mmCIF file with all atom_site columns, all heavy atoms in Angstrom:
data_model
loop_
_atom_site.group_PDB
_atom_site.id
_atom_site.type_symbol
_atom_site.label_atom_id
_atom_site.label_alt_id
_atom_site.label_comp_id
_atom_site.label_asym_id
_atom_site.label_entity_id
_atom_site.label_seq_id
_atom_site.pdbx_PDB_ins_code
_atom_site.Cartn_x
_atom_site.Cartn_y
_atom_site.Cartn_z
_atom_site.occupancy
_atom_site.B_iso_or_equiv
_atom_site.pdbx_formal_charge
_atom_site.auth_seq_id
_atom_site.auth_comp_id
_atom_site.auth_asym_id
_atom_site.auth_atom_id
_atom_site.pdbx_PDB_model_num
ATOM 1   N N   . MET A 1 1   ? 0.839   -1.264 0.040  1.00 39.00 ? 148 MET A N   1
ATOM 2   C CA  . MET A 1 1   ? 0.079   0.038  -0.052 1.00 39.00 ? 148 MET A CA  1
ATOM 3   C C   . MET A 1 1   ? 0.878   1.247  0.056  1.00 39.00 ? 148 MET A C   1
ATOM 4   O O   . MET A 1 1   ? 0.801   2.165  -0.775 1.00 39.00 ? 148 MET A O   1
ATOM 5   C CB  . MET A 1 1   ? -0.914  0.042  1.296  1.00 39.00 ? 148 MET A CB  1
ATOM 6   C CG  . MET A 1 1   ? -1.950  0.921  1.162  1.00 39.00 ? 148 MET A CG  1
ATOM 7   S SD  . MET A 1 1   ? -3.269  0.686  2.527  1.00 39.00 ? 148 MET A SD  1
ATOM 8   C CE  . MET A 1 1   ? -2.679  1.912  3.558  1.00 39.00 ? 148 MET A CE  1
ATOM 9   N N   . GLU A 1 18  ? -17.693 2.148  -8.537 1.00 94.00 ? 165 GLU A N   1
ATOM 10  C CA  . GLU A 1 18  ? -18.465 1.031  -8.363 1.00 94.00 ? 165 GLU A CA  1
ATOM 11  C C   . GLU A 1 18  ? -19.869 1.155  -7.611 1.00 94.00 ? 165 GLU A C   1
ATOM 12  O O   . GLU A 1 18  ? -20.887 0.570  -7.855 1.00 94.00 ? 165 GLU A O   1
ATOM 13  C CB  . GLU A 1 18  ? -17.724 -0.165 -7.806 1.00 94.00 ? 165 GLU A CB  1
ATOM 14  C CG  . GLU A 1 18  ? -16.790 -0.752 -8.927 1.00 94.00 ? 165 GLU A CG  1
ATOM 15  C CD  . GLU A 1 18  ? -15.795 -1.725 -8.232 1.00 94.00 ? 165 GLU A CD  1
ATOM 16  O OE1 . GLU A 1 18  ? -16.101 -2.399 -7.243 1.00 94.00 ? 165 GLU A OE1 1
ATOM 17  O OE2 . GLU A 1 18  ? -14.757 -1.821 -8.770 1.00 94.00 ? 165 GLU A OE2 1
ATOM 18  N N   . LYS A 1 19  ? -19.701 1.897  -6.390 1.00 94.00 ? 166 LYS A N   1
ATOM 19  C CA  . LYS A 1 19  ? -20.860 2.060  -5.662 1.00 94.00 ? 166 LYS A CA  1
ATOM 20  C C   . LYS A 1 19  ? -21.909 2.893  -6.416 1.00 94.00 ? 166 LYS A C   1
ATOM 21  O O   . LYS A 1 19  ? -23.114 2.612  -6.361 1.00 94.00 ? 166 LYS A O   1
ATOM 22  C CB  . LYS A 1 19  ? -20.424 3.002  -4.526 1.00 94.00 ? 166 LYS A CB  1
ATOM 23  C CG  . LYS A 1 19  ? -21.411 3.203  -3.323 1.00 94.00 ? 166 LYS A CG  1
ATOM 24  C CD  . LYS A 1 19  ? -21.339 4.583  -2.703 1.00 94.00 ? 166 LYS A CD  1
ATOM 25  C CE  . LYS A 1 19  ? -22.203 5.514  -3.484 1.00 94.00 ? 166 LYS A CE  1
ATOM 26  N NZ  . LYS A 1 19  ? -22.165 6.871  -3.073 1.00 94.00 ? 166 LYS A NZ  1
ATOM 27  N N   . GLU A 1 102 ? -26.546 12.198 -1.716 1.00 93.00 ? 249 GLU A N   1
ATOM 28  C CA  . GLU A 1 102 ? -25.608 12.126 -0.679 1.00 93.00 ? 249 GLU A CA  1
ATOM 29  C C   . GLU A 1 102 ? -25.849 13.198 0.339  1.00 93.00 ? 249 GLU A C   1
ATOM 30  O O   . GLU A 1 102 ? -25.667 12.990 1.599  1.00 93.00 ? 249 GLU A O   1
ATOM 31  C CB  . GLU A 1 102 ? -24.098 12.235 -1.245 1.00 93.00 ? 249 GLU A CB  1
ATOM 32  C CG  . GLU A 1 102 ? -23.743 11.221 -2.244 1.00 93.00 ? 249 GLU A CG  1
ATOM 33  C CD  . GLU A 1 102 ? -22.971 10.068 -1.799 1.00 93.00 ? 249 GLU A CD  1
ATOM 34  O OE1 . GLU A 1 102 ? -23.009 9.800  -0.501 1.00 93.00 ? 249 GLU A OE1 1
ATOM 35  O OE2 . GLU A 1 102 ? -22.534 9.278  -2.507 1.00 93.00 ? 249 GLU A OE2 1
ATOM 36  N N   . THR A 1 107 ? -25.036 10.979 3.840  1.00 93.00 ? 254 THR A N   1
ATOM 37  C CA  . THR A 1 107 ? -23.869 10.186 3.606  1.00 93.00 ? 254 THR A CA  1
ATOM 38  C C   . THR A 1 107 ? -22.608 11.028 3.066  1.00 93.00 ? 254 THR A C   1
ATOM 39  O O   . THR A 1 107 ? -21.554 10.602 3.095  1.00 93.00 ? 254 THR A O   1
ATOM 40  C CB  . THR A 1 107 ? -24.224 9.023  2.505  1.00 93.00 ? 254 THR A CB  1
ATOM 41  O OG1 . THR A 1 107 ? -24.910 9.618  1.395  1.00 93.00 ? 254 THR A OG1 1
ATOM 42  C CG2 . THR A 1 107 ? -25.058 7.863  3.153  1.00 93.00 ? 254 THR A CG2 1
ATOM 43  N N   . GLU A 1 109 ? -21.460 13.183 4.612  1.00 92.00 ? 256 GLU A N   1
ATOM 44  C CA  . GLU A 1 109 ? -20.526 13.359 5.832  1.00 92.00 ? 256 GLU A CA  1
ATOM 45  C C   . GLU A 1 109 ? -19.554 12.151 5.962  1.00 92.00 ? 256 GLU A C   1
ATOM 46  O O   . GLU A 1 109 ? -18.456 12.246 6.419  1.00 92.00 ? 256 GLU A O   1
ATOM 47  C CB  . GLU A 1 109 ? -21.420 13.342 7.031  1.00 92.00 ? 256 GLU A CB  1
ATOM 48  C CG  . GLU A 1 109 ? -20.966 14.257 8.187  1.00 92.00 ? 256 GLU A CG  1
ATOM 49  C CD  . GLU A 1 109 ? -21.901 14.606 9.230  1.00 92.00 ? 256 GLU A CD  1
ATOM 50  O OE1 . GLU A 1 109 ? -23.164 14.532 8.985  1.00 92.00 ? 256 GLU A OE1 1
ATOM 51  O OE2 . GLU A 1 109 ? -21.542 15.143 10.245 1.00 92.00 ? 256 GLU A OE2 1
ATOM 52  N N   . LEU A 1 110 ? -19.990 11.003 5.571  1.00 93.00 ? 257 LEU A N   1
ATOM 53  C CA  . LEU A 1 110 ? -19.165 9.725  5.559  1.00 93.00 ? 257 LEU A CA  1
ATOM 54  C C   . LEU A 1 110 ? -18.082 10.100 4.418  1.00 93.00 ? 257 LEU A C   1
ATOM 55  O O   . LEU A 1 110 ? -16.882 9.843  4.819  1.00 93.00 ? 257 LEU A O   1
ATOM 56  C CB  . LEU A 1 110 ? -19.996 8.476  5.166  1.00 93.00 ? 257 LEU A CB  1
ATOM 57  C CG  . LEU A 1 110 ? -19.124 7.242  4.813  1.00 93.00 ? 257 LEU A CG  1
ATOM 58  C CD1 . LEU A 1 110 ? -18.412 6.818  6.097  1.00 93.00 ? 257 LEU A CD1 1
ATOM 59  C CD2 . LEU A 1 110 ? -20.031 6.201  4.317  1.00 93.00 ? 257 LEU A CD2 1
ATOM 60  N N   . MET A 1 112 ? -16.892 12.820 3.195  1.00 91.00 ? 259 MET A N   1
ATOM 61  C CA  . MET A 1 112 ? -16.070 13.933 3.410  1.00 91.00 ? 259 MET A CA  1
ATOM 62  C C   . MET A 1 112 ? -15.211 13.756 4.507  1.00 91.00 ? 259 MET A C   1
ATOM 63  O O   . MET A 1 112 ? -14.275 14.614 4.866  1.00 91.00 ? 259 MET A O   1
ATOM 64  C CB  . MET A 1 112 ? -16.932 15.186 3.479  1.00 91.00 ? 259 MET A CB  1
ATOM 65  C CG  . MET A 1 112 ? -17.736 15.616 2.275  1.00 91.00 ? 259 MET A CG  1
ATOM 66  S SD  . MET A 1 112 ? -16.657 16.163 0.908  1.00 91.00 ? 259 MET A SD  1
ATOM 67  C CE  . MET A 1 112 ? -16.930 14.803 -0.314 1.00 91.00 ? 259 MET A CE  1
ATOM 68  N N   . SER A 1 114 ? -13.992 10.611 5.358  1.00 92.00 ? 261 SER A N   1
ATOM 69  C CA  . SER A 1 114 ? -13.104 9.482  4.953  1.00 92.00 ? 261 SER A CA  1
ATOM 70  C C   . SER A 1 114 ? -11.967 10.068 4.352  1.00 92.00 ? 261 SER A C   1
ATOM 71  O O   . SER A 1 114 ? -11.825 11.183 3.747  1.00 92.00 ? 261 SER A O   1
ATOM 72  C CB  . SER A 1 114 ? -13.800 8.622  4.019  1.00 92.00 ? 261 SER A CB  1
ATOM 73  O OG  . SER A 1 114 ? -14.968 7.985  4.742  1.00 92.00 ? 261 SER A OG  1
ATOM 74  N N   . VAL A 1 116 ? -10.676 10.341 1.547  1.00 92.00 ? 263 VAL A N   1
ATOM 75  C CA  . VAL A 1 116 ? -10.697 10.473 0.079  1.00 92.00 ? 263 VAL A CA  1
ATOM 76  C C   . VAL A 1 116 ? -10.682 11.927 -0.223 1.00 92.00 ? 263 VAL A C   1
ATOM 77  O O   . VAL A 1 116 ? -11.371 12.752 0.583  1.00 92.00 ? 263 VAL A O   1
ATOM 78  C CB  . VAL A 1 116 ? -12.007 9.913  -0.561 1.00 92.00 ? 263 VAL A CB  1
ATOM 79  C CG1 . VAL A 1 116 ? -11.778 8.418  -0.696 1.00 92.00 ? 263 VAL A CG1 1
ATOM 80  C CG2 . VAL A 1 116 ? -13.157 10.240 0.137  1.00 92.00 ? 263 VAL A CG2 1
ATOM 81  N N   . THR A 1 262 ? -19.699 22.539 2.316  1.00 71.00 ? 409 THR A N   1
ATOM 82  C CA  . THR A 1 262 ? -19.839 22.474 3.726  1.00 71.00 ? 409 THR A CA  1
ATOM 83  C C   . THR A 1 262 ? -19.386 23.719 4.472  1.00 71.00 ? 409 THR A C   1
ATOM 84  O O   . THR A 1 262 ? -19.642 23.880 5.736  1.00 71.00 ? 409 THR A O   1
ATOM 85  C CB  . THR A 1 262 ? -18.879 21.354 4.323  1.00 71.00 ? 409 THR A CB  1
ATOM 86  O OG1 . THR A 1 262 ? -17.450 21.565 3.837  1.00 71.00 ? 409 THR A OG1 1
ATOM 87  C CG2 . THR A 1 262 ? -19.279 20.017 3.738  1.00 71.00 ? 409 THR A CG2 1
ATOM 88  N N   . ARG B 2 45  ? -17.822 18.104 13.968 1.00 91.00 ? 256 ARG B N   1
ATOM 89  C CA  . ARG B 2 45  ? -17.586 18.215 12.512 1.00 91.00 ? 256 ARG B CA  1
ATOM 90  C C   . ARG B 2 45  ? -16.312 18.974 12.237 1.00 91.00 ? 256 ARG B C   1
ATOM 91  O O   . ARG B 2 45  ? -15.575 18.670 11.138 1.00 91.00 ? 256 ARG B O   1
ATOM 92  C CB  . ARG B 2 45  ? -18.817 18.857 11.835 1.00 91.00 ? 256 ARG B CB  1
ATOM 93  C CG  . ARG B 2 45  ? -20.008 17.978 11.645 1.00 91.00 ? 256 ARG B CG  1
ATOM 94  C CD  . ARG B 2 45  ? -21.209 18.790 11.015 1.00 91.00 ? 256 ARG B CD  1
ATOM 95  N NE  . ARG B 2 45  ? -22.133 17.855 10.654 1.00 91.00 ? 256 ARG B NE  1
ATOM 96  C CZ  . ARG B 2 45  ? -23.295 18.212 10.090 1.00 91.00 ? 256 ARG B CZ  1
ATOM 97  N NH1 . ARG B 2 45  ? -23.592 19.419 9.961  1.00 91.00 ? 256 ARG B NH1 1
ATOM 98  N NH2 . ARG B 2 45  ? -24.241 17.263 9.657  1.00 91.00 ? 256 ARG B NH2 1
ATOM 99  N N   . PHE B 2 50  ? -14.813 17.933 8.562  1.00 89.00 ? 261 PHE B N   1
ATOM 100 C CA  . PHE B 2 50  ? -16.015 18.002 7.675  1.00 89.00 ? 261 PHE B CA  1
ATOM 101 C C   . PHE B 2 50  ? -16.213 19.532 7.512  1.00 89.00 ? 261 PHE B C   1
ATOM 102 O O   . PHE B 2 50  ? -16.455 19.928 6.416  1.00 89.00 ? 261 PHE B O   1
ATOM 103 C CB  . PHE B 2 50  ? -17.212 17.383 8.347  1.00 89.00 ? 261 PHE B CB  1
ATOM 104 C CG  . PHE B 2 50  ? -18.381 17.367 7.402  1.00 89.00 ? 261 PHE B CG  1
ATOM 105 C CD1 . PHE B 2 50  ? -18.407 16.786 6.229  1.00 89.00 ? 261 PHE B CD1 1
ATOM 106 C CD2 . PHE B 2 50  ? -19.539 18.181 7.831  1.00 89.00 ? 261 PHE B CD2 1
ATOM 107 C CE1 . PHE B 2 50  ? -19.514 16.772 5.438  1.00 89.00 ? 261 PHE B CE1 1
ATOM 108 C CE2 . PHE B 2 50  ? -20.578 18.177 7.015  1.00 89.00 ? 261 PHE B CE2 1
ATOM 109 C CZ  . PHE B 2 50  ? -20.697 17.489 5.759  1.00 89.00 ? 261 PHE B CZ  1
ATOM 110 N N   . LEU B 2 51  ? -16.123 20.223 8.547  1.00 89.00 ? 262 LEU B N   1
ATOM 111 C CA  . LEU B 2 51  ? -16.277 21.753 8.501  1.00 89.00 ? 262 LEU B CA  1
ATOM 112 C C   . LEU B 2 51  ? -15.089 22.457 8.871  1.00 89.00 ? 262 LEU B C   1
ATOM 113 O O   . LEU B 2 51  ? -14.412 22.020 9.747  1.00 89.00 ? 262 LEU B O   1
ATOM 114 C CB  . LEU B 2 51  ? -17.440 22.245 9.564  1.00 89.00 ? 262 LEU B CB  1
ATOM 115 C CG  . LEU B 2 51  ? -18.822 21.859 9.318  1.00 89.00 ? 262 LEU B CG  1
ATOM 116 C CD1 . LEU B 2 51  ? -19.553 22.383 10.522 1.00 89.00 ? 262 LEU B CD1 1
ATOM 117 C CD2 . LEU B 2 51  ? -19.319 22.534 8.053  1.00 89.00 ? 262 LEU B CD2 1
ATOM 118 N N   . ARG B 2 73  ? -8.085  12.384 8.725  1.00 91.00 ? 284 ARG B N   1
ATOM 119 C CA  . ARG B 2 73  ? -9.238  11.545 8.433  1.00 91.00 ? 284 ARG B CA  1
ATOM 120 C C   . ARG B 2 73  ? -8.759  10.042 8.471  1.00 91.00 ? 284 ARG B C   1
ATOM 121 O O   . ARG B 2 73  ? -9.675  9.206  8.826  1.00 91.00 ? 284 ARG B O   1
ATOM 122 C CB  . ARG B 2 73  ? -9.870  11.861 7.158  1.00 91.00 ? 284 ARG B CB  1
ATOM 123 C CG  . ARG B 2 73  ? -10.425 13.221 7.059  1.00 91.00 ? 284 ARG B CG  1
ATOM 124 C CD  . ARG B 2 73  ? -11.088 13.393 5.762  1.00 91.00 ? 284 ARG B CD  1
ATOM 125 N NE  . ARG B 2 73  ? -10.957 14.729 5.171  1.00 91.00 ? 284 ARG B NE  1
ATOM 126 C CZ  . ARG B 2 73  ? -11.251 15.025 3.976  1.00 91.00 ? 284 ARG B CZ  1
ATOM 127 N NH1 . ARG B 2 73  ? -11.828 14.123 3.220  1.00 91.00 ? 284 ARG B NH1 1
ATOM 128 N NH2 . ARG B 2 73  ? -11.126 16.198 3.472  1.00 91.00 ? 284 ARG B NH2 1
ATOM 129 N N   . TYR B 2 78  ? -15.456 8.183  12.630 1.00 94.00 ? 289 TYR B N   1
ATOM 130 C CA  . TYR B 2 78  ? -16.580 9.168  13.024 1.00 94.00 ? 289 TYR B CA  1
ATOM 131 C C   . TYR B 2 78  ? -17.995 8.625  12.656 1.00 94.00 ? 289 TYR B C   1
ATOM 132 O O   . TYR B 2 78  ? -18.174 8.081  11.680 1.00 94.00 ? 289 TYR B O   1
ATOM 133 C CB  . TYR B 2 78  ? -16.284 10.442 12.023 1.00 94.00 ? 289 TYR B CB  1
ATOM 134 C CG  . TYR B 2 78  ? -17.415 11.565 12.194 1.00 94.00 ? 289 TYR B CG  1
ATOM 135 C CD1 . TYR B 2 78  ? -17.895 11.827 13.517 1.00 94.00 ? 289 TYR B CD1 1
ATOM 136 C CD2 . TYR B 2 78  ? -17.845 12.256 11.124 1.00 94.00 ? 289 TYR B CD2 1
ATOM 137 C CE1 . TYR B 2 78  ? -18.853 12.796 13.546 1.00 94.00 ? 289 TYR B CE1 1
ATOM 138 C CE2 . TYR B 2 78  ? -18.799 13.176 11.249 1.00 94.00 ? 289 TYR B CE2 1
ATOM 139 C CZ  . TYR B 2 78  ? -19.342 13.575 12.370 1.00 94.00 ? 289 TYR B CZ  1
ATOM 140 O OH  . TYR B 2 78  ? -20.157 14.572 12.491 1.00 94.00 ? 289 TYR B OH  1
ATOM 141 N N   . TYR B 2 86  ? -26.107 3.812  3.246  1.00 93.00 ? 297 TYR B N   1
ATOM 142 C CA  . TYR B 2 86  ? -26.742 3.686  1.954  1.00 93.00 ? 297 TYR B CA  1
ATOM 143 C C   . TYR B 2 86  ? -27.841 2.574  2.117  1.00 93.00 ? 297 TYR B C   1
ATOM 144 O O   . TYR B 2 86  ? -27.477 1.423  2.235  1.00 93.00 ? 297 TYR B O   1
ATOM 145 C CB  . TYR B 2 86  ? -25.740 3.280  0.876  1.00 93.00 ? 297 TYR B CB  1
ATOM 146 C CG  . TYR B 2 86  ? -24.694 4.397  0.744  1.00 93.00 ? 297 TYR B CG  1
ATOM 147 C CD1 . TYR B 2 86  ? -23.432 4.283  1.094  1.00 93.00 ? 297 TYR B CD1 1
ATOM 148 C CD2 . TYR B 2 86  ? -25.026 5.508  -0.137 1.00 93.00 ? 297 TYR B CD2 1
ATOM 149 C CE1 . TYR B 2 86  ? -22.560 5.374  0.905  1.00 93.00 ? 297 TYR B CE1 1
ATOM 150 C CE2 . TYR B 2 86  ? -24.210 6.592  -0.287 1.00 93.00 ? 297 TYR B CE2 1
ATOM 151 C CZ  . TYR B 2 86  ? -22.951 6.469  0.244  1.00 93.00 ? 297 TYR B CZ  1
ATOM 152 O OH  . TYR B 2 86  ? -21.878 7.425  -0.015 1.00 93.00 ? 297 TYR B OH  1
ATOM 153 N N   . MET B 2 89  ? -27.980 -0.819 0.149  1.00 92.00 ? 300 MET B N   1
ATOM 154 C CA  . MET B 2 89  ? -26.943 -1.767 0.212  1.00 92.00 ? 300 MET B CA  1
ATOM 155 C C   . MET B 2 89  ? -27.031 -2.814 1.364  1.00 92.00 ? 300 MET B C   1
ATOM 156 O O   . MET B 2 89  ? -27.719 -2.566 2.337  1.00 92.00 ? 300 MET B O   1
ATOM 157 C CB  . MET B 2 89  ? -25.583 -1.138 0.551  1.00 92.00 ? 300 MET B CB  1
ATOM 158 C CG  . MET B 2 89  ? -24.974 -0.316 -0.512 1.00 92.00 ? 300 MET B CG  1
ATOM 159 S SD  . MET B 2 89  ? -23.403 0.218  -0.142 1.00 92.00 ? 300 MET B SD  1
ATOM 160 C CE  . MET B 2 89  ? -22.969 1.292  -1.425 1.00 92.00 ? 300 MET B CE  1
ATOM 161 N N   . PHE B 2 97  ? -17.515 -1.323 1.069  1.00 94.00 ? 308 PHE B N   1
ATOM 162 C CA  . PHE B 2 97  ? -17.360 -0.017 0.361  1.00 94.00 ? 308 PHE B CA  1
ATOM 163 C C   . PHE B 2 97  ? -16.636 0.948  1.312  1.00 94.00 ? 308 PHE B C   1
ATOM 164 O O   . PHE B 2 97  ? -15.654 1.574  0.852  1.00 94.00 ? 308 PHE B O   1
ATOM 165 C CB  . PHE B 2 97  ? -18.694 0.553  -0.058 1.00 94.00 ? 308 PHE B CB  1
ATOM 166 C CG  . PHE B 2 97  ? -18.657 2.057  -0.387 1.00 94.00 ? 308 PHE B CG  1
ATOM 167 C CD1 . PHE B 2 97  ? -18.036 2.379  -1.535 1.00 94.00 ? 308 PHE B CD1 1
ATOM 168 C CD2 . PHE B 2 97  ? -19.225 2.983  0.384  1.00 94.00 ? 308 PHE B CD2 1
ATOM 169 C CE1 . PHE B 2 97  ? -17.975 3.665  -1.902 1.00 94.00 ? 308 PHE B CE1 1
ATOM 170 C CE2 . PHE B 2 97  ? -19.137 4.340  0.110  1.00 94.00 ? 308 PHE B CE2 1
ATOM 171 C CZ  . PHE B 2 97  ? -18.482 4.753  -1.012 1.00 94.00 ? 308 PHE B CZ  1
ATOM 172 N N   . ARG B 2 100 ? -13.033 0.264  1.541  1.00 92.00 ? 311 ARG B N   1
ATOM 173 C CA  . ARG B 2 100 ? -12.270 0.537  0.372  1.00 92.00 ? 311 ARG B CA  1
ATOM 174 C C   . ARG B 2 100 ? -12.075 2.029  0.277  1.00 92.00 ? 311 ARG B C   1
ATOM 175 O O   . ARG B 2 100 ? -10.837 2.506  -0.006 1.00 92.00 ? 311 ARG B O   1
ATOM 176 C CB  . ARG B 2 100 ? -12.979 0.198  -0.882 1.00 92.00 ? 311 ARG B CB  1
ATOM 177 C CG  . ARG B 2 100 ? -13.070 -1.446 -1.150 1.00 92.00 ? 311 ARG B CG  1
ATOM 178 C CD  . ARG B 2 100 ? -13.843 -1.750 -2.354 1.00 92.00 ? 311 ARG B CD  1
ATOM 179 N NE  . ARG B 2 100 ? -13.218 -1.315 -3.593 1.00 92.00 ? 311 ARG B NE  1
ATOM 180 C CZ  . ARG B 2 100 ? -13.773 -1.306 -4.705 1.00 92.00 ? 311 ARG B CZ  1
ATOM 181 N NH1 . ARG B 2 100 ? -14.932 -1.755 -4.940 1.00 92.00 ? 311 ARG B NH1 1
ATOM 182 N NH2 . ARG B 2 100 ? -12.997 -1.092 -5.836 1.00 92.00 ? 311 ARG B NH2 1
ATOM 183 N N   . GLY B 2 103 ? -9.202  3.155  2.448  1.00 87.00 ? 314 GLY B N   1
ATOM 184 C CA  . GLY B 2 103 ? -7.977  2.617  1.946  1.00 87.00 ? 314 GLY B CA  1
ATOM 185 C C   . GLY B 2 103 ? -7.418  1.412  2.620  1.00 87.00 ? 314 GLY B C   1
ATOM 186 O O   . GLY B 2 103 ? -6.142  1.190  2.637  1.00 87.00 ? 314 GLY B O   1
#
Side-chain angles (χ1 to χ4, degrees):
Chain A
M148 194 170 100
E165 284 173 27
K166 185 217 96 187
E249 304 260 15
T254 45
E256 214 167 344
L257 168 68
M259 297 294 118
S261 293
V263 281
T409 57
Chain B
R256 284 178 164 174
F261 182 68
L262 287 178
R284 294 187 220 170
Y289 174 40
Y297 295 104
M300 287 189 187
F308 165 69
R311 289 178 72 190

